[in-house]
Amino acid sequence: RRSMGIDAESIRARFPDIIYASGSGSGPNGPECDKGGYDAISFWARGSISATMTEDGADRPVGPPGPAFGDTASGAMLSGAICAALVKRLRTGEGSTVDVSLLGTAMWSMQRLICQSTADGTLRFPRPANAMPFNVLVGNYRTSDKRFLSLCMLQADKYWKPFCEVAGRSDLASDPRFADAAARRENAAACWAEVTALFESKTLAQWREILHRQDGQWEVVQEVGEMQHDPQVQANSYLQRADYGDGTTIPMVGLPMLFDGQPMPARRSPELGADSDAVLASLGYDEDAIIDLKVQGVVF
């Protein structure tokens, strides 16, 4: 950008009230500010997410679930920063240079563990080898058809008895070993074994119907191919069909923000340089100057 004269300093020297936004690998300051960055290395690896997700003794670190995993989160952060800069300019007349890095967004996502390790000197928080939770209503359980359900009923005593009743195991709630949270902690292994066996006795479809009859919080561990059928995805238009411009449509995940209950319409990105003329004209470039920039290859 410096060699092309489109870095922040060059642009804002000519247009001091402009908002200059950049997405970087590891931030605009420091000795490695010019080091190249990607989602897989700057967000996932350097940002400590990979190491935290990797089991002790693993042959290789856990990789990201798909491309642009950190890019999308960082892009959302950058859009918020731009909005804040626009409000500042509206109130003060001053432009800003805003940057959101992949590394910074990763650290925001990992903030609790990073702050804890900084305070107590812990290098790594090992993942537990035993999947048994101290609260059996918080955790993942496999069904008889090899699917998984995720429970997060933090108020264990509130939900324990109703859960047992709708699941057909009222005896668990009346068992003195499992009567309340303290008793269940004292007999955690036995309680966990009972609940694990209970979930493995029924299919996912059966558990959907059962769990809908109680108020505790739970979700199905969904596969990506199931998302299009999720009733909440459909009701909120989180997945849309976008017109590609040639008579075909493609599925696109829309913006997660809804305004007055309505989603922003998903649409394809513009062609490269589609808005260059209008942007440059708004900055004071005349037609000859714009053509000259195109001839030089500065813009498209």
Side-chain angles (χ1 to χ4, degrees):
R1 285 179 293 152
R2 280 193 293 271
S3 66
M4 297 174 67
I6 57 170
D7 58 305
E9 291 76 13
S10 300
I11 295 294
R12 298 203 64 228
R14 297 184 61 188
F15 309 101
D17 63 342
I18 201 170
I19 293 166
Y20 188 102
S22 63
S24 61
S26 54
N29 307 310
E32 297 183 359
C33 62
D34 291 330
K35 183 179 180 181
Y38 280 100
D39 168 75
I41 57 175
S42 303
F43 181 89
W44 193 258
R46 188 170 187 171
S48 78
I49 299 174
S50 179
T52 306
M53 294 288 291
T54 302
E55 298 283 357
D56 289 337
D59 292 334
R60 59 183 63 85
V62 172
F69 190 74
D71 292 331
T72 51
S74 300
M77 288 279 195
L78 184 56
S79 69
I82 293 170
C83 289
L86 286 168
V87 172
K88 175 190 172 184
R89 187 174 67 181
L90 181 65
R91 293 177 175 177
T92 68
E94 298 176 0
S96 300
T97 298
V98 297
D99 178 275
V100 170
S101 71
L102 290 164
L103 175 61
T105 305
M107 292 189 66
W108 179 261
S109 304
M110 294 291 293
Q111 57 184 284
R112 188 185 70 81
L113 289 182
I114 291 173
C115 292
Q116 184 177 340
S117 65
T118 302
D120 63 21
T122 302
L123 176 64
R124 186 174 193 272
F125 293 89
R127 293 172 60 82
N130 190 344
M132 181 180 66
F134 73 91
N135 174 5
V136 295
L137 293 183
V138 175
N140 301 311
Y141 292 95
R142 184 166 57 186
T143 64
S144 63
D145 51 351
K146 311 304 180 185
R147 294 299 304 272
F148 287 95
L149 285 157
S150 183
L151 277 58
C152 194
M153 305 182 197
L154 299 178
Q155 297 166 281
D157 283 339
K158 176 180 180 179
Y159 299 119
W160 174 243
K161 183 178 179 180
F163 164 77
C164 292
E165 289 175 348
V166 299
R169 290 296 307 273
S170 297
D171 60 300
L172 292 178
S174 59
D175 190 321
R177 297 175 301 163
F178 314 137
D180 56 28
R184 288 191 295 276
R185 282 196 296 271
E186 287 290 326
N187 300 278
C191 191
W192 179 66
E194 290 281 5
V195 175
T196 298
L198 177 60
F199 274 102
E200 289 181 339
S201 69
K202 294 179 175 64
T203 66
L204 176 62
Q206 289 174 309
W207 278 115
R208 281 183 187 270
E209 191 276 328
I210 290 169
L211 292 172
H212 272 301
R213 290 191 275 118
Q214 56 85 55
D215 293 330
Q217 298 77 29
W218 62 278
E219 291 293 353
V220 175
V221 179
Q222 294 197 116
E223 302 288 351
V224 291
E226 296 175 313
M227 297 304 297
Q228 60 184 307
H229 306 299
D230 189 311
Q232 285 302 112
V233 171
Q234 296 173 351
N236 291 283
S237 299
Y238 291 143
L239 183 66
Q240 304 177 30
R241 302 291 303 190
D243 185 350
Y244 202 69
D246 60 359
T248 61
T249 61
I250 60 173
M252 288 186 66
V253 174
L255 294 171
M257 298 88 76
L258 273 66
F259 297 91
D260 299 319
Q262 298 300 313
M264 298 288 287
R267 57 181 183 269
R268 60 164 295 181
S269 59
E271 296 290 346
L272 180 62
D275 300 308
S276 294
D277 288 11
V279 171
L280 291 170
S282 71
L283 296 174
Y285 289 87
D286 60 24
E287 184 176 357
D288 290 339
I290 294 173
I291 293 174
D292 185 53
L293 289 173
K294 291 183 176 181
V295 171
Q296 295 181 58
V298 175
V299 298
F300 292 91

